[in-house]
Amino acid sequence: MPAFAAYASFVIYPLATGIQYSFYDWNGIGASTWVGIDNYITVFTNQNLLGAIGNAFFLIAFFTVIPVGTGLVLATLIRSMRDGVFLRASQTILFLPQIIPLAAAGIAWSWMYAQTGAVNQILGWFGLGWLGRPWLADYDTALPAVGLIGSWVLTGLCTVLLLTGIGKIDTSLFEAIRLDGAGWWREFFTITLPGLRQEIAVLVTLTVIAALSTFDIIYTSTQGGPGRATLVPSLLIFRIGFTQSDVGLASAFGIVMMVLVLAVVLPVQRLARASDH
Amino acid sequence: MIASRNEVLIGRVLLILALILTLIPLLNMLSAALQPADRNPTGMSWPTDPQWINFVTAFEVGNVWRLMGSSAFIVLCVVPVSLIIATLAGYALGGLRVRGNRVILIVFVLGLTIPFESLIIPLYYQAQALGTLNTQWAVIFPLIGLFMPFSVFWMRAHFVNVPRELSEAARVDGATLWQEFTRIQLPLAMPSVSALTILLFIWTWNQFLLPVVLIANPLDRTVAGALTFFQGQYYLSIPLLNAGALIIVLPAIAIFLIFQRQFIKALLQGAVKG
C-alpha cells in the first residue's frame, strides 16, 4: 500500500523521531544527551512558552467563536432568501479569503492596520479617529488585531457551511414552529441549533486547529511582536528549533502542541457524536 | 418559508455588511498597488493616476516567472501522485475492504488532526538525512504524506457508497480486479477525484510553513512561501509589495472562480465527512 508507505514515512516516522528528539538536549549537529522529561518541564514552567500557549488559546475566541457565531446569525437570517445571482455571488465573495494564502492575508492586513492605514482612516470617517493607533505595534491591541485577521478568513467558510446545513433541515419543521407563534429566538434554539450540531462540531474542530497552530498570519504580520504580545507556539517552535538550535525543546513543544489540539478536538467530536442519538 | 419582513431585511443588511468587510482588504491591496511606487500611500483611496506599471515591475523584480515555475513543479509532483495512491488506497479500504481496514482507517483519521507545525522539526532533519534539504523534493515528499490522511479518507468515503453488486457483476463478466477498477470504478469516481484535485492544488499552492523552513532559496519555494521574500524585497515600496502579493494570489483565485461550484461543494462535503 503506497498510501500507507507515504503516510508512514512522512507523518508517523517524523512523529516518532520528534518524540525521540524531545527527550534529548541536541543542537542539531553535535552529540545529543539524554535529558528525560526536562524539555517538557521547561515547556510547562518557562514564562515565554506558557505565554505563547496562552496566546494561542486566546486566539480561539477570534478563530472559532466569532466566525461560528457570525456564521450562525448570518446563515439563519439569509436562509429565507431565494437562491439567486445575489446569493450565489455572496457565497463566492465570502469564500474568497479562504482561497488566498494566509501569508498574503497577513501582508494585506498589516498594511491596513498601520498608523496611516485603512483601519484608522475608516475610524476617522465615523468620527472615531481618536481611537486610531498602529494596531499591530500596540501591546494591548496586537493580539486581538491578529485574531481579527483569522475571523476575516474563517467567517465565510462557517457561513457557507452552516447555510448548507440549514438547507438539509426539513423545512416543515420551521413552518410548524412559526405557526405555533414562535419568534426568531425560539426557532433558533429549538430547531436550527440542534439541527446544525454536526456542522458546528466540524467547524469548531477545524477552526480550533487553525487557532492553535497559526503560523502564516503571525509570521507575515507581526513576527510575534511587539515584545511577546503575539507570540504563538508554532512561531516559537520555528525559532527555538532553527534560530536557537535547541532541537529537543522545540520537538517537545511540538508534541505538547499536538496533544493540546487533540485535547480540545476529541471532546468536541465526542459531544457531537453523543448528541446524535 | 415563513419569516418576518424585519428578519429578511436585517439578514440582507448584515449580509451586505459582511460582503463589504470581506472585500475591503482585497480592494485595499489593489488601491495600494496602483499608487506611485516611490511614495508611501496612506489609507484607502482610488489613485487619480493608476500605476498599472507596478504590476510589471513587481513581476520582474520578484522573479515571478521563476517562482511560478517552481510552484508549478511542486504542484505537478504532489497532486498527481497523491491522487493516484489515495484513490488506490481508498478503493482498497472502502471498496474491497481488505483485511485490517478498520485499524488502518483509524490510524489515518488520527493523522487528520496533527498540525504540520508539530512535525516541522523532525521533517527538517529527515530532509537533511535524505539529502533533499533546500530542494523542492524536501517539500514534495512530506506534502504527499501529510495530505494522505485527508485524501484517503475522502476517496474511501466515495468507494464505501458504491453498491457492491456493481463489482460483483463485473467479476461475473470475467473482469480482473484491475480491469474492474480502471473500467468501472474509476469513471464513477471522477467527480470525487476532481474535487480532491482542486483542494490539493489550492493547499499545495498556498503552503507556507514547509517551503519557508525546508527551502532556503525563496525562488525555489511555492509562491505563498516566497511572499516573505517579497516582503524583504519590497520593504521600501508598499505599492510594489501589494502588486506582488496580488500577482501571487491570482492563480488560486482564478482556479477558484472557474471551479467555484465544485470547490465549495467539495470543501463542504469533505468537512462534513471529516
Side-chain angles (χ1 to χ4, degrees):
Chain A
M1 299 252 294
F4 203 73
Y7 178 59
S9 22
F10 294 99
V11 179
I12 298 178
Y13 173 74
L15 185 61
T17 47
I19 295 174
Q20 188 201 343
Y21 293 160
S22 73
F23 293 110
Y24 285 88
D25 180 14
W26 185 38
N27 64 11
I29 307 162
S32 52
T33 25
W34 169 265
V35 292
I37 58 165
D38 274 11
N39 288 324
Y40 290 93
I41 294 174
T42 311
V43 172
F44 287 108
T45 50
N46 184 310
Q47 284 301 317
N48 279 350
L49 308 192
L50 280 180
I53 294 177
N55 286 346
F57 275 94
F58 180 80
L59 286 179
I60 290 181
F62 291 92
F63 280 67
T64 307
V65 180
I66 292 182
V68 176
T70 317
L72 273 172
V73 173
L74 266 179
T76 45
L77 285 172
I78 60 183
R79 85 178 145 79
S80 44
M81 281 175 53
R82 264 171 293 122
D83 186 28
V85 182
F86 177 61
L87 200 61
R88 243 174 285 145
S90 334
Q91 279 204 352
T92 308
I93 292 173
L94 286 175
F95 232 88
L96 270 183
Q98 199 65 40
I99 308 308
I100 70 170
L102 288 172
I107 289 177
W109 276 87
S110 56
W111 140 239
M112 302 238 315
Y113 277 134
Q115 180 72 60
T116 55
V119 172
N120 287 337
Q121 184 193 13
I122 292 170
L123 283 176
W125 292 344
F126 292 100
L128 296 169
W130 52 276
L131 273 174
R133 65 189 77 196
W135 297 89
L136 292 175
D138 187 308
Y139 277 86
D140 297 324
T141 55
L143 191 58
V146 167
L148 278 178
I149 307 179
S151 312
W152 177 72
V153 172
L154 291 163
T155 300
L157 172 75
C158 293
T159 309
V160 176
L161 179 61
L162 291 169
L163 206 53
T164 319
I166 288 180
K168 288 189 207 141
I169 302 174
D170 190 354
T171 42
S172 62
L173 285 175
F174 289 114
E175 282 169 21
I177 195 162
R178 284 292 162 123
L179 287 173
D180 274 354
W184 189 86
W185 283 106
R186 238 185 79 204
E187 177 193 73
F188 181 70
F189 283 107
T190 47
I191 297 180
T192 319
L193 211 49
L196 288 175
R197 238 187 266 120
Q198 264 233 290
E199 279 80 7
I200 294 174
V202 168
L203 284 174
V204 170
T205 307
L206 285 176
T207 52
V208 164
I209 295 179
L212 294 182
S213 62
T214 33
F215 179 80
D216 322 28
I217 293 178
I218 307 260
Y219 190 88
T220 50
S221 65
T222 64
Q223 293 272 341
R228 293 188 285 273
T230 59
L231 209 52
V232 287
S234 53
L235 195 67
L236 265 180
I237 293 174
F238 179 76
R239 284 212 191 133
I240 298 174
F242 299 114
T243 317
Q244 302 168 17
S245 294
D246 189 345
V247 177
L249 182 59
S251 304
F253 209 8
I255 304 295
V256 169
M257 189 172 144
M258 192 182 79
V259 173
L260 284 176
V261 167
L262 280 176
V264 178
V265 161
L266 286 182
V268 174
Q269 292 287 344
R270 185 151 302 176
L271 266 178
R273 210 157 298 155
S275 50
D276 260 355
H277 303 294
Chain B
M1 190 77 61
I2 309 172
S4 76
R5 230 161 226 251
N6 272 340
E7 282 167 29
V8 176
L9 194 69
I10 298 172
R12 270 177 202 233
V13 172
L14 282 179
L15 179 61
I16 291 170
L17 198 68
L19 293 180
I20 294 173
L21 286 175
T22 306
L23 283 176
I24 281 181
L26 297 170
L27 290 177
N28 194 29
M29 272 173 111
L30 183 62
S31 80
L34 294 175
Q35 308 284 345
D38 53 352
R39 245 179 295 150
N40 259 356
T42 57
M44 192 165 57
S45 59
W46 195 253
T48 41
D49 174 26
Q51 306 282 314
W52 295 101
I53 187 84
N54 285 349
F55 284 95
V56 181
T57 317
F59 205 90
E60 283 163 2
V61 181
N63 288 302
V64 174
W65 272 126
R66 176 139 176 232
L67 267 176
M68 295 266 176
S70 165
S71 295
F73 176 69
I74 295 177
V75 167
L76 280 177
C77 288
V78 170
V79 177
V81 175
S82 302
L83 285 176
I84 294 169
I85 56 186
T87 309
L88 288 170
Y91 182 55
L93 290 175
L96 298 174
R97 312 197 188 183
V98 292
R99 255 191 302 153
N101 74 76
R102 294 224 132 254
V103 181
I104 297 175
L105 188 67
I106 289 172
V107 176
F108 271 122
V109 169
L110 279 178
L112 284 172
T113 56
I114 301 177
F116 288 17
E117 289 80 0
S118 290
L119 297 177
I120 194 66
I121 299 273
L123 282 175
Y124 178 85
Y125 289 100
Q126 188 184 17
Q128 204 174 49
L130 291 173
T132 55
L133 198 63
N134 293 326
T135 69
Q136 280 119 344
W137 299 107
V139 172
I140 292 168
F141 290 133
L143 276 185
I144 294 174
L146 288 162
F147 289 150
M148 213 30 69
F150 179 85
S151 312
V152 169
F153 199 66
W154 175 265
M155 289 317 300
R156 178 196 164 263
H158 161 79
F159 285 115
V160 153
N161 291 321
V162 175
R164 310 217 75 186
E165 291 77 23
L166 207 66
S167 60
E168 275 158 22
R171 263 349 135 58
V172 172
D173 285 347
T176 62
L177 183 61
W178 183 246
Q179 282 173 330
E180 184 230 320
F181 178 72
T182 51
R183 301 233 182 111
I184 295 171
Q185 298 289 353
L186 215 49
L188 280 174
M190 276 335 275
S192 295
V193 172
S194 50
L196 185 60
T197 312
I198 303 171
L199 288 177
L200 291 177
F201 171 81
I202 301 267
W203 290 341
T204 311
W205 191 260
N206 289 349
Q207 180 57 43
F208 181 76
L209 175 72
L210 259 56
V212 164
V213 172
L214 300 174
I215 304 178
N217 181 356
L219 294 178
D220 291 334
R221 294 177 182 164
T222 62
V223 278
L227 275 172
T228 55
F229 163 71
F230 273 50
Q231 259 186 322
Q233 195 87 346
Y234 304 132
Y235 185 64
L236 293 172
S237 174
I238 289 180
L240 283 185
L241 173 62
N242 280 290
L246 279 176
I247 294 176
I248 268 177
V249 302
L250 222 55
I253 291 184
I255 293 274
F256 169 62
L257 291 179
I258 297 168
F259 297 105
Q260 52 152 322
R261 296 198 119 184
Q262 288 99 310
F263 181 80
I264 292 181
K265 221 196 279 167
L267 213 59
L268 299 181
Q269 264 176 13
V272 176
K273 282 175 192 159

